[in-house]
Amino acid sequence: MELLLVILIGLLYASGIFMMLRRSMVKLIIGLILLGNGANMLIFLLGRIVKGKPPLIESSAKMLTEIYADPVPQALILTAIVISFGLQSFAIILVKRAYKITDTDDLDELNTTDEIYE
Amino acid sequence: MIIAILSGFIAAALIPLLSKIIKGKGSILLPFLPLSLFVYFASYLPKIGKGEKLNFVYEWVPSFGINLSFHLDGLSMLFALLITGIGTLVFFYTYSYLKGHVYLDRFYGYLSMFMASMLGLVLSDNIITLFIFWELTSISSFFLIGFNNDDPKSRKSALLALSITGMGGLFLLAGMLLLGTAGGSYSFQELLANGSLIQEHASYGWIILLVFLGAFTKSAQFPFHFWLPGAMKAPTPVSTYLHSATMVKAGIYILARFTPLLGGTTEWNTTLIIVGAVTMVYAAIHSIFRMDMKSILAYSTISALGILVFLIGLGTEESLLAAGVFILVHALYKATLFLITGIVDHETSTRDVTVLGGLRKVMMPVAIAAGLAALSNAGAPPFFGFIGKDLIYEATLHFGDWAYLLTGAAILTNICLLFAGLLAGYKPFVGNLPAEFSKVHLPHPTMWVPPLILAALGLIFGLFPVLIEKNLIQPVFSSLTNNDTVIHLKLWHGFNVVLGLSMLTLTLGVLLYWKLKPSEALFGKTLKFELFSPQTIALLFGRLFSGFAKFWTGFFQNGYLRNYVITILGFLTILLGYRLYQGVNFYVDTAKLTELTIYEVIVVLIMIVSIIFTVFSRSRLVAVASLGVIGYSICLIFLFYSAPDLAMTQFSIDTLTVILFVLVIYNLPKYKTFSKRRIRVRDGILSLFFGTLIAILTLEVLAEPLNRETSIFYAESAYILAKGKNVVNVILVDFRGLDTIVEITVLVIAAIGVFSLLKLRLKSIEKE
Amino acid sequence: MIKTKFLSNLLLSLIWVAITGAFTVENFVFGFALSFFLLWITATDRRDNKYFNRIPKLIGFVFFFLYELIKANIEVAYDVITPRHYMEPGIVKIPLDAKSDLEITLLANLITLTPGTLSLDVSDDRKVLYVHAMYVKDREEFVANIKNGFERRLLEITR
Amino acid sequence: MTEIIVIILSSLGALFILLAAVGIVKMPDLYLRISVTTKAATLGIGLILLGAGIYFSDTAILARVIAIIVFMLLTAPVGAHMIGRASYFTGVKMWKNSKIDELEGKYDTKSHKLKSED
Amino acid sequence: MKTIIFKTASTYLLPLLVLFSVFILLRGHYLPGGGFVGGLIASIAFVIHSFANGLEQTKSLIKFHPGFLMPIGLCIALLSGAAPLLVGQSFMTGLWFEDPLPVIGMVGSALFFDTGVYLVVIGVTLTIIFTISETL
Amino acid sequence: MNNPYIILPVIFQLFTAVLLLFFWFRVNAQRLITIICSLVSLGIAIWLLKEVYQNGILTMQAGGWKAPFGITFVADVFSATMVLLTAIAGMAVAVFSTGSIRNARLKFGYFPILNFLLMGLNGAFLTGDIFNLYVWFEIIIIASFVLITIGGEKAQIEGAIKYVTMNLLASAIFLTAIAILYGLAGSLNMADLSEQVAQIENRGLVNVVAILFLVGFGIKSAIFPLYFWLPASYHTPPPAISAIFGGLLTKVGVYALLRIFTLIFVPDAFLSNLLIVLAAMTILSGGLGAILQVNMRKIFSYLIVCHIGFMIAGLGIYTELALVGAIFYLIHDIIVKTNLFLISGLIFKLKGTLNIEKLGGIYKKYPKFSLLMAIPLFSLVGIPPLSGFWAKLFLIQGSYLEGQYTLIGFILLGSFLTLWVIAKLWSEVFWKDAKDLPKKINVKYFKELKPLKQWAMVIPIVLLAATSLYIGLAAEHIILLSKQIAAELINPSAYIEAVLGSKTTTP
Amino acid sequence: MSVYDYLYYIILPILAVSILIIFIRFLIGPKLSDRVVALDLLLTTGIGIIAVYSIITNQPAFLDIAMILALIAFLGTVAFAYYLEKREKND
Ligand code: NA
Ligand code: NA
């Protein structure tokens, strides 16, 4: 399964980047989301995956004894997911606003702030 | 001592506060600052004359060996007296010259600051401190040159001067640092103690190169000389003070100061001789075609500076003595001529020598001063200038194989300088007074007394060199050569070759004055040569540089986000790829992998297809929907691999994201394909390459053993110590609760951001 | 009104007990308090609706519903797994006797849940329910089936 | 005994879901797809969930399972109704062999008000 | 989307979902769940309600601007984290009541903290979604 | 030594922000709270630096969990200094904002967000946990997103798109790096990582991770060729916001680079050389960009890039001396750049434009302001003995001792370009005589402001100018501080011991 | 054959194949509504998978995820319906 996930992660990164390189703002956002998903999966996989053993302590037990999934990456991903949600919401609204103001989706037209003489 | 040096800065700081008083009558009090400093330094003359050297150390930045340590010996004494002495006169002169000027206070402020910097420069023993004061002179001169800042030319000149001297300053800084590092100390005295160490050091070449660059730019040596004529846009007192008597000599000072330490080598001497000789001849020839008094003086100053560099370069005891004397000679007559130019300009409103004439009839004392200065300049006996010129020829004649060539150059230079001196100091005052100048009258004594004093000194020192021989020139000589040979200054050496050369110079110079009349036409002809002048080349270089800047900036900061992204990612990819290729062995341990099941394969398959679908979909909504599928599939993977909390959260958040998209999708632009196919293919290749790198990296990491200390601790303590059974949640609210509080803060900020982005509409009055 | 609220409250407390899975008095009291609070928060103008009014009829209705569900599912399954389509779909207008929001909603949902039919919308004057059906052999019969089946039984419970 | 019940319930459930899956691909128009899938899936999932509830033989879990089923019964038809209705007035066509359409022309094109009479 | 069916269903869904969200919040320390998911579910409940009944209805239901929940939640989280500082212990050190409460289990600062998270998440989500809906 | 209160700079900022949220619509109350709280923060920061300077490295184990299991906060001299600088710059900007930021913006959370941003900065400086650093970075970027867009002007939005994209990209790379690091070392505690990473046998992988961190932080600190977002966006928001960005935001990236590449990854020859090349290119790019610009704030933006190069150069050389230079420059740059952007704000309020071709006559009309402004301008140039000068000494000497002669050339070039740009700016903006520009209706000019607001804009500039004078003239203090920091960085064992030393005690 | 094996080797694959089939509808559309319906069905089927998986792994906790899925799965449908309605009104 790891091999499949590795391919998946590579693909998520690749597609995220490909989308970020488009000129369309919406694609840019989608690219960022894909990239974020890729990073989350990467943390997940690199924390090493274990099937069907969530880090929950049995009601009768006091600690996890047998093999269990590493809870740390899970906590990290949770945090990362929530943070990306905040950032993505903001980014989506930013794009909406940009579209309203500039009336274009073409990022190539948003270059006045880089011009030397302004 | 420190008070003496800093007093100028203190005054400069106080002047803006006292501006009302200064703009009134108060400014007459200011010259007493340099005057008292002059007296203060002069009081040390006897001690210096006895060969004593005085040290004053004040701690400043001891941890880097930078202290306010001052060293008073002959050389610094000579400069200190010039700075304060001419300073006094210039301060007085300014009182009338800029009387009633709205920014008189500022002018005095800068002048005081400059004086203090200059004093600090010549008195510093610590070479870093020396550099600090060096830079301060550059910056105060920037303000002084740009004093008439309404005039674009004035601003341009200030900028040019600062650019050149500032650049030189940076080289000097590097040189000083190298020197200090190589010699193990920033104290000049300590460095001097291990002089040979430095001359043998591997960086010696770099050090002297950097010192030269600093000195040459400051002292307007060829090919860095061109800022100086422009700097004459400054008010005349500034030209007098900075650009003839003191600041430009800072470079000379440095060369002189470092001669005992760095000098004596072929590199040192040859460079200085060549640069000095070229400068003196080049500038001298340039000076004779000018018509503007200030321009004439500017070029003759450059030439004189060239002579000084040349003399230091010769490096013999004779030449160093000549240099020491010529510093004083030149300061006296050149300052005089500048002050006179100022008077002429001030009273007649022109400095064109072809127009001026007969002014002796209306301003006799000025004419006397001018005459004295011109004669000293000409090296006519019994003026101090004669002694100076004598010493120069003495030095060149005794310089081995190259004696004739060098002497010839010196003679040529001196002839031109003589001519220039006559043009500026003689021509305006003789002949008939043009009618338009008949109303011209003698200015306030504070203006004509200073040049007269200086000019008179040129005569007095010539007649009685003994006045300064022991207490001033002897110590200067000692500092320059680092030995105590006793010297004698004499006006009369008897009839010898040197005297003959002096006379030859005089004769030829006067002859030239007779024959060559400066005119617009002649000046115009010389301008043709400007095409090849260093200034033109420098400007060309500047233009090239600015073109390069435009290219570079336009290339990188091109305004296209995707180019930025591709640059960043390309950079990352190359580095990653290189590092992976270089140091990572590709290896997968299949035994460690978990088994594959059909449902997982299907989920992954769906994900892969969805990703491709998202990327290539032509509809925004479909892309969003398939993004949802990707998210939900991730959920399932989380679930299969024991992360129920993750699955829950991912699912809820994905749903919310979809809702968000759907809500705003109206206000989102339609999906369009902008880029060309070729670009898409290129991006695709880069993306896939990057993805592959990440994948390989992941595989490699998976093959490494993982330290499980942390996760074991959590598993064991979650319930016992933190009283929770869902370890992930315990981590979130307890073990790593700090992350969580930050992350909810992120959410809060994002919400506020969304709120303000959508709700805040500035009215036009509120925009800015 | 008070009775309705109380009933809702009670119902929610029971659901609370069910989802938490702890059948204890404390938990019930906690759930009651919680749902009381929630009802206060979410209070809107709801009309009189009675929950456990006709419990026997409710049970009967559940069985009727399950029967319809399974029967119709099999009917559809046949159509799905065989290559040919036997269906005769159409959108049919069903006049409503159900009046309250709850009645209409329940009816519509029940219709949707049974295979082959899908409540598309209720007219704005609440007189008609538009239903998409797979097997409209005879329009009148279809309407009558629904009116006599689901609607009648449902109204018996709710009224 | 429990095991057999679980096997039966889950088999039936899986079959219904498979049915829904085939249905959604095979059915010729959107309304039919909605029609077929909503309930088949709901029924199927309900059965599987019930199986799970029985398997764990814990009242708490059973209660939770029932709660899920109730939720689904509540939401699934609403969702079907929403998307069906929205599709109708966005002009999603019915299958060519459809018999009648009594909804035709009843929607006000602007306000989406739905009339009961012509 | 003024459909009676959805409206009615949402009226019943709202309390159900909020109830469920509280449940998820409270048991987070023992089983999957916690403040985040709880908060998300609660906000989804209100979002559904606003879809069905219009934003104004939902807002009048909540009675105050949901954004107000953000500082309150942050305050609760901050206080429960900072309380140990008063007794000279590190930020976020767990303080616990002696005995477990029914249903909830052990009550301690972690629970308060999670409640803070819960409220913040509701506040944030609703602020974002409502603001967007208002300015469509 | 353990001290639970070192988290105060963070908590207090959070407290302030939350308090401000409760006063959402009451703008004047927000102003008052902001000023008071920024003073308190300054007090806390001074206390912290004093404690650390006297007692050595202080740690706080969040939740009382021993390292590396909980999140550790570490206050060494470096962090404490950064916290203090944040407090100073933060206070200046806060006070300036009370005068310069319009009520409309204040009603939409300007002050709370500003305080959140400062909280994020403090958190990033104090944390000893790599993932926690990530979340602090996220606070910083989201707060900066909001600030850069607040008001929603066209230029703001255009700049923000680039700013947001690049920062999110950087975050993704950072997160990737953390994932791999955790996958390799199984730890998040930076001190622990320092030990764990050293034990990893597969050095190739370690190097790869280091590259990811370099690029992630490199984007945030705007080094070549990752800086593009900065000149595209920093000039677009209100000047007070540019000030906090210009002063602090890129520096937090530099801080992270300095921290990570001294504590966890010690640069090998390749990385060192890479850093040096990047530093040189950064200096060049920033300098070249700056000489072309005509908008004052864009000039400053490019200069930020240019001067980041100096700091990176110090890291690349990687000797104590060079690090002293980098740290000194960092300290100087925070104060001066903040002030320059504030000054640009003041000039805008005076003249209604920041185009240096249109500006002019300030020297004539406002001689006292001009003098005041000259201090930071020429401090930036590094006219000795002003603050910018000292750092260069160390950098040049450090480069020389390591034989990096070309780098010296670039440092000199960067200094020269800065000198030229500032001199030109002075000549254009201050000296040149300008016609009165037509009044803009959408600008509230300085003269139209109430005296209280006028003071609110001038006092921070004065204070920062005084600070930069202090840095320059009392350089000894700053050098001692920088030396201590550099020593800490070069030899992280004290840091590691302070964090992990308590391993035996029970939580 | 135990319940475990039965679920693991028969039921789960059936559900997975169902998902795959449904996904085909998602891909081919043709209308947005078709995709939405497919998405909804995907999620519903996901609930089933979760339930089965919870039995296989003996983790009743997974049922909670199923519960959340059940609760908010239809929200996506509602949102898309909302969008379609808006689109009609606006165009
Ligand atoms: Na949580
Ligand atoms: Na704790």
Side-chain angles (χ1 to χ4, degrees), chain B residues 382 384 387 457-469 489 491:
Chain B
F384 195 37
I387 300 181
L457 283 177
L459 181 60
I460 293 168
F461 290 158
L463 290 170
F464 313 105
V466 68
L467 279 177
I468 48 173
E469 185 185 87
L489 292 182
L491 191 59

Side-chain angles (χ1 to χ4, degrees), chain B residues 734, chain E residues 92-94, chain F residues 63 65:
Chain B
D734 195 336
Chain E
M92 293 293 308
T93 304
Chain F
W65 304 107

Side-chain angles (χ1 to χ4, degrees), chain B residues 729 732-733 740, chain E residues 34-36 114 117:
Chain B
N729 190 267
L732 285 173
V733 299
T740 308
Chain E
F36 275 121
D114 227 6
V117 173

